[in-house]
Amino acid sequence: MAQKIQAVKGMNDLLPVEQADFKLNAALWQAFEETVLRWTRRFGYAQIRTPIVEPTNLFVRSIGEETDVVGKEMYTFADSNDSLSLSLRPEGTASCLRAVVEHNLLYNAPQKLWYMGPMFRRERPQKGRYRQFHQVGIEALGFEGPDIDAEIIAMCADLWRELGIAEHLTLEINSLGNREERAAHRSALVAYLQQHEDKLDEDSRRRLHTNPLRVLDTKNPELQQIADNAPALVDYLGEASQAHYDSFKALLDGLGIQYKENRRLVRGLDYYNQTVFEWTTDKLGAQATVCGGGRYDGLIEELGGKPAPSIGFALGIERLLLLVREYGSLKAEAAPDIYIMQQGEGSTLAAMRHAAALRAAGYAVAQYCGSQKLKAQIKRADQSGARFALIVAEQEVADNSVTLKDMRGSHEQTTVPAADLTEQLKQWSR
Ligand code: HAM
């Protein structure tokens, strides 16, 4: 036998049934996608779909060269017929903004957009962390806030409510101020960290010179005290930034949305300013952040567009669904309404015709294909989870009838003329 080929490490197959090492299935995922379509519509956001591959430079310029995502985790390759460097997208914001600038979408109105799809980061795989993962992202472009900042938080809260997981998620917020405030804070932070340089680990010592804000994000338990006592950005906010942050919090208070202020929340991508936030859970182990985002007021301009203050977030679908699967209320509907079986001369065509008529009437119909005996077919009907089963055998073909079985209820098996079938199904469904 030829050797089997396996999927790339950290990239999962989504199957009709859960696997031991990847506890999600396609029906749950699909139910979630349907929820997302309703949810984005409810809030007046329009969908945007961009390519999965982009010029590498797009991510370098937006996410930042010194970030882990761009520095270590991108899948980058040269296009074979020219020297353009391409990358699989590690996130959706940069692509979304590239498209908005390229097509001049902000020409005469702000935009509220959403997207959903695979992203790629070469991280060390573990539960809740994959190399191909999926996000739903929201980007509100051309809005100064803080009303929109509160709107997108309310939007998250609305989704958690609908999925039945609100009680398992905590909102953490912070403000990163504007560019000048960040520069002033950076100088103070570097000076402070230099005083403790001998105690820093290798990673933090490197970041001290490249991306000192990220030292505050350290997971190293020995550095927690140093990070806790470091100068915090919120103490460097000027009047306007402070007013923005205060109004944002007042709106959350007014909406009854609870939050924790986390002075060390900095996010892992470079484009953020002012409001940043994360929704975390204590139910998923180390990969606790289900959703994160914030303002990126300067990014559109950096990508060649006219200045347009903006905010957005992305949620990790795998992490969210691992939580939903365990604690949520999302119903995954995979079973057909009707399973149709056939046996004997002329029964295949008759069964296919009945199936077509039932589908046209709005039923989901799975048809048995093959030549096993009825007993084996009934087993399949049962496995399918269908509520009803139909038998089309020689007798039914001869007198144009069908035999109807109630697989989940207590109605007696009955044979009815084909013309009466939908009426009979309606009666049994009541
Ligand atoms: P991010 O924090 O890098 O932000 O990713 C958002 C979410 O994607 C994370 O909270 C997590 O749930 C999920 N995620 C990230 N990496 C992985 C991974 N390797 N495996 C599984 N899930 C993962 C962004 O991507 C920004 N573009 C969000 C944003 C939109 N900010 C403004 N607009």
Side-chain angles (χ1 to χ4, degrees):
M1 257 206 295
Q3 210 183 359
K4 290 184 197 164
I5 298 175
Q6 297 201 318
V8 176
K9 196 171 160 209
M11 304 199 181
N12 297 295
D13 297 309
L14 182 65
L15 305 180
V17 287
E18 287 180 8
Q19 302 298 291
D21 56 348
F22 188 62
K23 295 200 177 303
L24 295 175
N25 67 66
L28 185 72
W29 197 289
Q30 217 171 55
F32 172 69
E33 286 177 338
E34 285 164 12
T35 305
V36 168
L37 297 187
R38 287 196 305 274
W39 169 64
T40 48
R41 199 172 146 58
R42 227 166 29 236
F43 280 81
Y45 283 65
Q47 191 178 24
I48 182 166
R49 298 189 193 206
T50 58
I52 283 167
V53 175
E54 297 274 2
T56 302
N57 195 25
L58 171 67
F59 303 118
V60 175
R61 232 207 274 175
S62 53
I63 299 170
E65 201 154 11
E66 303 298 346
T67 57
D68 285 350
V69 171
V70 168
K72 301 196 263 192
E73 297 168 359
M74 281 212 296
Y75 286 91
T76 295
F77 52 96
D79 202 357
S80 61
N81 51 7
D82 58 39
S83 56
L84 187 62
S85 173
L86 302 177
S87 292
L88 299 185
R89 62 182 185 193
E91 57 108 54
T93 309
S95 308
C96 176
L97 267 54
R98 195 249 330 120
V100 163
V101 171
E102 184 169 335
H103 303 288
N104 213 5
L105 283 195
L106 288 172
Y107 177 58
N108 58 10
Q111 294 282 338
K112 292 184 175 180
L113 303 173
W114 71 275
Y115 50 83
M116 171 156 63
M119 309 290 162
F120 302 84
R121 296 183 193 176
R122 207 172 182 291
E123 295 192 75
R124 200 166 48 76
Q126 60 181 86
K127 182 185 163 203
R129 188 164 71 192
Y130 311 103
R131 290 181 168 177
Q132 174 175 326
F133 61 99
H134 297 75
Q135 288 185 340
V136 174
I138 292 286
E139 313 292 354
L141 312 173
F143 297 92
E144 258 177 82
D147 50 357
I148 192 84
D149 305 24
E151 172 176 291
I152 68 167
I153 297 288
M155 198 170 171
C156 295
D158 182 73
L159 184 61
W160 311 152
R161 179 196 51 75
E162 182 166 359
L163 296 172
I165 49 166
E167 65 185 288
H168 301 295
L169 286 166
T170 303
L171 172 61
E172 297 185 18
I173 62 170
N174 193 17
S175 174
L176 303 182
N178 65 23
R179 191 181 305 209
E180 292 75 41
E181 290 150 11
R182 272 206 309 289
H185 168 256
R186 186 187 160 112
S187 308
L189 180 62
V190 170
Y192 168 84
L193 291 174
Q194 274 169 340
Q195 284 168 19
H196 297 87
E197 196 163 350
D198 53 328
K199 294 189 213 89
L200 297 182
D201 57 20
E202 199 185 323
D203 223 22
S204 300
R205 215 169 290 153
R206 184 174 50 79
R207 284 179 168 154
L208 165 57
H209 300 290
T210 56
N211 199 348
L213 213 52
R214 292 283 291 167
V215 179
L216 302 182
D217 233 9
T218 178
K219 302 279 178 291
N220 183 344
E222 285 166 25
L223 297 183
Q224 293 311 308
Q225 211 187 348
I226 292 179
D228 277 338
N229 295 334
L233 243 164
V234 281
D235 296 328
Y236 287 75
L237 298 186
E239 216 172 297
S241 296
Q242 189 66 53
H244 186 116
Y245 191 40
D246 290 344
S247 306
F248 166 59
K249 288 188 285 184
L251 285 169
L252 295 185
D253 291 336
L255 291 169
I257 297 175
Q258 288 177 0
Y259 55 86
K260 266 197 215 157
E261 288 187 68
N262 177 354
R263 294 157 61 87
R264 281 174 48 189
L265 179 65
V266 295
R267 308 278 299 131
L269 316 168
D270 275 0
Y271 47 63
Y272 292 108
N273 67 307
Q274 308 287 10
T275 311
V276 287
F277 63 90
E278 284 182 353
W279 291 89
T280 58
T281 179
D282 58 7
K283 298 285 188 291
L284 290 182
Q287 302 311 312
T289 309
V290 170
C291 171
R295 296 201 72 84
Y296 46 88
D297 293 332
L299 185 55
I300 294 191
E301 202 178 355
E302 266 170 55
L303 294 176
K306 293 216 190 79
S310 302
I311 186 166
F313 66 83
L315 61 85
I317 299 182
E318 286 86 350
R319 288 184 197 176
L320 186 67
L321 289 187
L322 286 169
L323 199 60
V324 167
R325 168 190 172 277
E326 195 91 6
Y327 304 97
S329 55
L330 190 63
K331 292 270 173 299
E333 203 40 84
D337 303 315
I338 299 166
Y339 192 95
I340 188 160
M341 296 169 271
Q342 78 220 13
Q343 183 163 282
E345 187 74 23
S347 66
T348 301
L349 184 58
M352 288 180 105
R353 285 191 171 140
H354 292 315
L358 288 167
R359 290 185 189 118
Y363 290 100
V365 185
Q367 177 159 355
Y368 173 81
C369 295
S371 53
Q372 285 172 297
K373 294 256 160 33
L374 269 185
K375 200 170 157 203
Q377 295 189 33
I378 287 175
K379 215 166 149 192
R380 294 272 187 92
D382 192 37
Q383 285 166 346
S384 79
R387 165 83 204 272
F388 302 116
L390 295 185
I391 300 170
V392 183
E394 270 159 32
Q395 191 56 48
E396 285 84 354
V397 175
D399 55 19
N400 195 24
S401 63
V402 284
T403 295
L404 187 54
K405 264 177 96 64
D406 188 354
M407 304 293 288
R408 308 273 170 256
S410 54
H411 298 100
E412 281 285 317
Q413 177 169 321
T414 180
T415 301
V416 295
D420 297 345
L421 177 57
T422 47
E423 190 47 45
Q424 184 70 48
L425 283 167
K426 264 190 224 153
Q427 270 186 30
W428 278 18
S429 303
R430 273 184 205 132

